Structures are given as structure tokens and as C-alpha cells.
């Protein structure tokens, strides 16, 4: 599996660390609704097919990237930088 | 149905093995059953068997989308052990161990259950302390455990490298002498034959495509072979739990599906007569009766529904195997395969009623599905028959993730890939 890093170009997936599902949103820190927090911590859509996920290029530029990957074919259709650097992403 | 015995073997040998009967009927789906079990793997078949045997519920259908036993029951490393540390897990897996010990007789089918021991290796003094604590917790539950020093390990596993000239030298280990291996396919076939004997319909190539609901209550399933109704619908589909639950409009589960690979080498003369696990990385290895070394390691690490893995884990696992047993370096691998694990967010399983009325759920088996097969079937059958869990699976609820009662065996937090 090859993930195309916006900085470093196409690199083997073993250079990256899988962080997890990128579709979940952390509730606001002042939100004390326990059910929302349980949903955030434990509940996953776990789709068969397109899955948006966080990876980190740990053995490369150490950027966090958002990857759109198919969980059946492992085909990667999109990789974007995360965080404030997203605006500089020219890929 | 005829019993298998030395006599039946001789009789069939004399007629050239041409008169063996089918092991189970090729059943056609009926429009109505008392219980429908979705998923004809080890767990689903065991559930059907114990429903019929222990609870007298025989009007049961097991629906399997592919061929029987084509999922994880045939895609594991066949290891059986019950050396867990949390009381709920220890008791459950020990019940499973006791069922394993009598299973060949109970089913009249040779499970080739071999209690050759499972040795977990420790590589640091801290890990030895943790093993001592784990072993004591296990002994307090009445389960067997033995702490081993390096000399004893080298005596028991002669091919293992126990020297100091390595990144992670072995300093000792924890053994469960009653642990071991079983023939995985025989488990599926034995339970299928046992359930069939009681009149359970095992329906292969019948995929569930939807649920029939009356309001919120599940009253049946839509399948590729027509609609089937039943007051009780039990889900036992391992890595496909999330996809099947979506058919019932339950969009989120505390589960991620991950691929776990396993490998088998070309056959060798006897080399390893126990099961050994590497404690500094993740590898478990044993030798099958045919002589092949069977081993597996970590998950590939990202969500996957593909029943195949990628090469980095292949390399990692092979490297760990050669670190432990340097004499394996020139062996050829015959096959590798991947199974889709239903990794729950705390590493422990779910066997409960619900989440909808008329529905029952058995899921979240992580690495433990194979060894759990007998007890999972036994407890799930009890839960279905009584509409309430048995004491052994009372803690394996789905709502534990909402009320702070997670069973985090590894103390690893809500991170399925690192269990």
C-alpha cells in the first residue's frame, strides 16, 4: 500500500502510523453530555468501503494527513495535510 | 445419523470409503423458525448446537452467506488458552476450556484437541513481575499457571534462542499447561454435524440482505433465498458485525474491523511441541500435526474488510519468528491468509440481548474468537433461550461502553488496533 504524502511524495504505508477514524468529531470540552463522549470514544461507523482516516508520516516529515481509503480494496483516493498547514497543501 | 467409531471406520474402509453419509443435510429454508442464527461460523454453529442440546430449541436455522466455515473459523492459528486476568474473562474462557476438554466426546467428532501448553515469553524483569501477578490472579480463579525460568524454557523448547546476544533476550515465561491447539475446521464440521443431528437447518449460500421489523421489533430476515420469519434473530457474524447491524439501521457499533494474518510453513519433522508466544513483539507459533509451523502476529493496523493482508506485517512476523527460532530462517512459507476480526473498543467480547427487541448479539471477539467458540455458543444459546445472559456473559454487555464498565484486559484504552 502506497500513500502519497503531500510533502514527500508516494511512500510505502509502513513509513506511516495509522491514527484512526477521521469522521468522528470530539465534543466541545465544556459539553458534559456523557452519551456524546461515549459515542466519541467508543462508537464507530466502521464502513465497508470508503473510510476517511488520520495517518501520520512518522518515518518521514511527521505530518498528519487525512486519507480517504477503501477498506475492501485498500485503494487510496485522496490525501490531504491536516492542521494549519492544510492551506499550503499544493498537491 | 451413524456414530463415528473404529468400527464405522473399518466398515467403510472395507467398502472403499464410498458409503460415508453426508455430514449434514443441505437444508432448504423454511418460511418460519423459532430462532434464526445469522452466520454459519464456529460461533453460530455452536450456538445452534447448544440451543438444541441444552435448551430443547430445535426449530432453528443457521444462515451462512458463503460455504460453511469459510470465515474466521478456518482463518485462525488454532490456539486455545484461558489465561486471562480480568475475572469476567478468566471465568468465561475457563468455561470454554472445560467444554474443549470434553468436546470430541460430546460431538463424537475428533477435534484433535491437544493440550500441549502455551508459553508466553518475558523479556524484561518488569514483564516477569507482570507475569507473576497475572499467574497468581489466574491461580486464584482456579485455573492453571506456571512461572518458568529460562533454563526450564530452554529445556521445554529446544529450538528457541535463549542466549543474550539479541535485542530482547528471554528472561522467563508464563505457561498454561492446559492450553494448546485444536483442529479448526473440525470445530465447524463437528458442531454442524451435532446441530444437524438435532434437526437444525444449516442453510449455506444464503445471505441476509435486510431485517423484517414490526416497529422496532425484529421479526425476521430478508435473504437471497427469500424472507424468513422468527421471533428471535441472533447475529453472530464476526468481522461483518457493523455491516449487518447497518441493515437494521444501527449505524454505529463499538467495533472496528481489522485484518489479522496467519502463516504456515512447509512441513518439518517435530520441532516445537508446545505453543510459544514472543513477549517483546507479537508472535505466536505452534506446529501442526502435519508438521507445518503455524504462526501469526499483529493486526495490519488499519480498518480492513479485505480477507488478505499486506507485506509489512508479513516481514515483521517472519522477523520475529526468526529472532525466536533462528533455525527457521531458510524455511519456505506455504500459505498465508487473513481473517477479519471484530475488534471491540475494550478488547473484550459482547454477548447480549438486543440492541433491538427480537435481536441477540454475539460480537467483538478480537483475537479470542477461536478459543471462545464452545463457551460463546453455550452462553449465546443461554441468552437466546432465556432472554437474559448467563452469569458467565453477564458482563459482556453492549451498554458497558456507556456506563463505564468496559473490560479492558490489556489496560490499553479505547484503541482497538493495539489490543
Amino acid at each position: 500500500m502506497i500513500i502519497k504524502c503531500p510533502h514527500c511524495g508516494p511512500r510505502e504505508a509502513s513509513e506511516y502510523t495509522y491514527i484512526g477514524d477521521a469522521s468522528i468529531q470530539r465534543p466541545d470540552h465544556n459539553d458534559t453530555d456523557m452519551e456524546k463522549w461515549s459515542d466519541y470514544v467508543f462508537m464507530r461507523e466502521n464502513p465497508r468501503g470508503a473510510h476517511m482516516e488520520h495517518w501520520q508520516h512518522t518515518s518521514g516529515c511527521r505530518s498528519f494527513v487525512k486519507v480517504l481509503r477503501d477498506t475492501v480494496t485498500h485503494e487510496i483516493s485522496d490525501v490531504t495535510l491536516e492542521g494549519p498547514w492544510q492551506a499550503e497543501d499544493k498537491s | 445419523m451413524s456414530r463415528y467409531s473404529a468400527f464405522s471406520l473399518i466398515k467403510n474402509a472395507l467398502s472403499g470409503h464410498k458409503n460415508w453419509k453426508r455430514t449434514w443435510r443441505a437444508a432448504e429454508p423454511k418460511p418460519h423458525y423459532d430462532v434464526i442464527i445469522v452466520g454459519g461460523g464456529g460461533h453460530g454453529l455452536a450456538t445452534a448446537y447448544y440451543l438444541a442440546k441444552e435448551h430443547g430449541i430445535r426449530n432453528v436455522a443457521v444462515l451462512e452467506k458463503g460455504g460453511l466455515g469459510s470465515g474466521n473459523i478456518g482463518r485462525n492459528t488454532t490456539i486455545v488458552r484461558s489465561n486471562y486476568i480480568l475475572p469476567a474473562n478468566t471465568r468465561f474462557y475457563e468455561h470454554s476450556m472445560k467444554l474443549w476438554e470434553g468436546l470430541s466426546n460430546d460431538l463424537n467428532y475428533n477435534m484433535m484437541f491437544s493440550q500441549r501448553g502455551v508459553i508466553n515469553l518475558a523479556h524484561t524483569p518488569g514483564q516477569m513481575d507482570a507475569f507473576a501477578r497475572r499467574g497468581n490472579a489466574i491461580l486464584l480463579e482456579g485455573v492453571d499457571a506456571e512461572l518458568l525460568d529460562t533454563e526450564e524454557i530452554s529445556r521445554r523448547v529446544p529450538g528457541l534462542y535463549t542466549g543474550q546476544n539479541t535485542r530482547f533476550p528471554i528472561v522467563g515465561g508464563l505457561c498454561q499447561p492446559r492450553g494448546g491447539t485444536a483442529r479448526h475446521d473440525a470445530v465447524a464440521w463437528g458442531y454442524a454435524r451435532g446441530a444437524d443431528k438435532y434437526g437444525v437447518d444449516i442453510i449455506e449460500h444464503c445471505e441476509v440482505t435486510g431485517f423484517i421489523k414490526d416497529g422496532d421489533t425484529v421479526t425476521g430476515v430478508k435473504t437471497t433465498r427469500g424472507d424468513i420469519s422468527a421471533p428471535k434473530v441472533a447475529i453472530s457474524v464476526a468481522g461483518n458485525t457493523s455491516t449487518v447491524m447497518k441493515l437494521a439501521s444501527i449505524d454505529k457499533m463499538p467495533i472496528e474491523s481489522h485484518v489479522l494474518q496467519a502463516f504456515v510453513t512447509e512441513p518439518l519433522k517435530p520441532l516445537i511441541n508446545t505453543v510459544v508466544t514472543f513477549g517483546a513483539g507479537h508472535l505466536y507459533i505452534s506446529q501442526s500435526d502435519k508438521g507445518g509451523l503455524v504462526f501469526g502476529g499483529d493486526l495490519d493496523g488499519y480498518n480492513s474488510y479485505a480477507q488478505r493482508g499486506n507485506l509489512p506485517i508479513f516481514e515483521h512476523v517472519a522477523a520475529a519468528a526468526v529472532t525466536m527460532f533462528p533455525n527457521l530462517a531458510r524455511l519456505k512459507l506455504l500459505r498465508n491468509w487473513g481473517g477479519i476480526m471484530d475488534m471491540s473498543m475494550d478488547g473484550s467480547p459482547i454477548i447480549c440481548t438486543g440492541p433491538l427487541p427480537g435481536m441477540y448479539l454475539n460480537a467483538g471477539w478480537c483475537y479470542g474468537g477461536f478459543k471462545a467458540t464452545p463457551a460463546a455458543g453455550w452462553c449465546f444459546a443461554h441468552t437466546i433461550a432465556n432472554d437474559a445472559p448467563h452469569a458467565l456473559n453477564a458482563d459482556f454487555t453492549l451498554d458497558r461502553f456507556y456506563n463505564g464498565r468496559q473490560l479492558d484486559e490489556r489496560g490499553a484504552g479505547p484503541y482497538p488496533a493495539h489490543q
Side-chain angles (χ1 to χ4, degrees):
Chain A
M1 203 158 76
I2 288 170
I3 300 174
K4 192 181 168 208
C5 174
H7 284 306
C8 317
R11 295 300 177 100
E12 173 55 41
S14 56
E15 286 190 11
Y16 295 76
T17 305
Y18 181 67
I19 308 291
D21 189 336
S23 69
I24 46 172
Q25 289 291 322
R26 185 166 63 197
D28 186 86
H29 274 183
N30 295 320
D31 194 334
T32 54
D33 184 320
M34 286 310 289
E35 197 166 318
K36 272 192 208 163
W37 280 96
S38 295
D39 279 343
Y40 166 66
V41 175
F42 297 114
M43 302 305 271
R44 299 288 181 267
E45 262 186 52
N46 190 24
R48 184 187 170 92
H51 189 226
M52 185 64 91
E53 47 205 30
H54 300 295
W55 291 71
Q56 187 186 9
H57 196 188
T58 33
S59 302
C61 62
R62 301 196 63 79
S63 297
F64 285 89
V65 289
K66 211 182 246 189
V67 175
L68 185 61
R69 186 180 59 92
D70 189 297
T71 57
V72 182
T73 62
H74 298 325
E75 190 186 344
I76 292 167
S77 44
D78 194 33
V79 184
T80 51
L81 278 176
E82 301 205 61
W85 302 275
Q86 205 167 353
E88 298 164 25
D89 188 352
K90 296 177 195 74
S91 66
Chain B
M1 171 168 308
S2 60
R3 274 184 70 78
Y4 293 150
S5 63
F7 176 71
S8 75
L9 190 62
I10 294 164
K11 199 177 95 182
N12 281 287
L14 291 176
S15 57
H17 292 298
K18 285 176 182 152
N19 297 314
W20 288 104
K21 296 273 185 305
R22 271 189 78 101
T23 306
W24 59 87
R25 293 166 292 128
E28 286 297 316
K30 291 189 286 189
H32 182 83
Y33 289 93
D34 292 341
V35 177
I36 293 172
I37 297 167
V38 183
H43 286 214
L45 294 164
T47 306
Y49 174 73
Y50 291 114
L51 269 175
K53 182 181 174 232
E54 304 283 338
H55 305 282
I57 301 173
R58 297 178 179 190
N59 186 19
V60 175
V62 178
L63 309 182
E64 167 56 45
K65 76 170 173 183
L68 187 140
S70 56
N72 291 348
I73 190 69
R75 293 169 177 269
N76 53 70
T77 47
T78 79
I79 297 168
V80 175
R81 59 182 178 88
S82 61
N83 52 356
Y84 283 72
I85 197 166
L86 295 178
N89 283 334
T90 317
R91 287 167 200 166
F92 174 83
Y93 282 105
E94 179 58 14
H95 182 65
S96 208
M97 180 66 83
K98 286 181 176 149
L99 290 170
W100 277 114
E101 285 171 338
L103 202 56
S104 293
N105 275 333
D106 185 23
L107 293 174
N108 177 233
Y109 205 99
N110 187 1
M111 295 291 147
M112 295 165 74
F113 182 48
S114 158
Q115 292 179 293
R116 56 184 70 181
V118 174
I119 298 174
N120 302 125
L121 300 176
H123 306 268
T124 64
Q127 209 172 4
M128 262 320 256
D129 290 348
F131 276 3
R133 173 174 170 259
R134 177 175 283 264
N136 285 331
I138 292 165
L139 288 172
L140 282 173
E141 286 289 337
V143 182
D144 57 327
E146 268 184 297
L147 206 57
L148 308 178
D149 58 19
T150 316
E151 259 174 51
E152 179 60 17
I153 288 173
S154 120
R155 194 187 67 76
R156 292 191 191 188
V157 195
L160 186 65
Y161 179 71
T162 51
Q164 294 299 304
N165 188 22
T166 180
R167 174 68 183 80
F168 298 107
I170 294 163
V171 301
L174 183 67
C175 175
Q176 183 180 26
R178 283 161 66 241
T181 60
R183 172 88 175 99
H184 54 357
D185 294 323
V187 179
W189 300 333
Y191 273 121
R193 177 170 171 267
D196 180 83
K197 189 180 73 181
Y198 286 116
V200 169
D201 281 355
I202 296 163
I203 303 157
E204 295 173 78
H205 305 290
C206 178
E207 183 175 352
V208 169
T209 54
F211 288 89
I212 304 166
K213 291 204 265 187
D214 181 7
D216 253 357
T217 306
V218 173
T219 58
V221 291
K222 294 174 188 162
T223 78
T224 48
R225 295 175 69 176
D227 292 0
I228 309 172
S229 69
K232 297 183 176 190
V233 177
I235 315 295
S236 186
V237 295
N240 286 309
T241 303
S242 296
T243 17
V244 170
M245 295 309 273
K246 278 192 186 85
L247 300 174
S249 303
I250 295 168
D251 291 332
K252 288 191 171 187
M253 293 292 294
I255 286 173
E256 284 186 2
S257 296
H258 286 256
V259 65
L260 184 60
Q261 302 191 64
F263 310 85
V264 64
T265 69
E266 58 189 324
L268 296 177
K269 289 194 172 178
L271 174 68
I272 305 171
N273 65 355
T274 178
V275 181
V276 191
T277 77
F278 184 55
H282 202 175
L283 181 97
Y284 26 94
I285 187 163
S286 64
Q287 190 166 18
S288 78
D289 290 357
K290 272 195 289 188
L293 296 173
V294 182
F295 57 96
D298 268 324
L299 298 170
D300 272 31
Y302 41 79
N303 295 40
S304 175
Y305 281 89
Q307 283 178 315
R308 63 183 191 287
N310 274 318
L311 291 171
I313 284 291
F314 205 127
E315 187 179 358
H316 171 81
V317 167
V322 173
T323 302
M324 285 167 66
F325 295 94
N327 55 356
L328 306 189
R330 299 182 65 176
L331 267 185
K332 293 186 179 75
L333 288 177
L334 280 190
R335 287 190 300 281
N336 83 311
W337 59 94
I340 303 304
M341 310 291 114
D342 35 344
M343 302 301 292
S344 68
M345 295 300 273
D346 62 356
S348 295
I350 297 158
I351 308 178
C352 64
T353 57
L356 297 175
M359 190 184 250
Y360 303 79
L361 181 65
N362 169 41
W365 285 99
C366 304
Y367 295 105
F370 178 71
K371 64 177 107 50
T373 304
W378 194 92
C379 288
F380 199 30
H382 182 101
T383 307
I384 296 164
N386 297 291
D387 277 307
H390 188 271
L392 286 169
N393 65 306
D395 289 348
F396 297 162
T397 60
L398 186 57
D399 60 12
R400 68 176 186 266
F401 297 97
Y402 283 94
N403 56 26
R405 294 182 179 275
Q406 299 90 260
L407 296 167
D408 189 355
E409 176 78 21
R410 282 278 299 268
Y415 202 36
H418 284 196
Q419 288 300 327

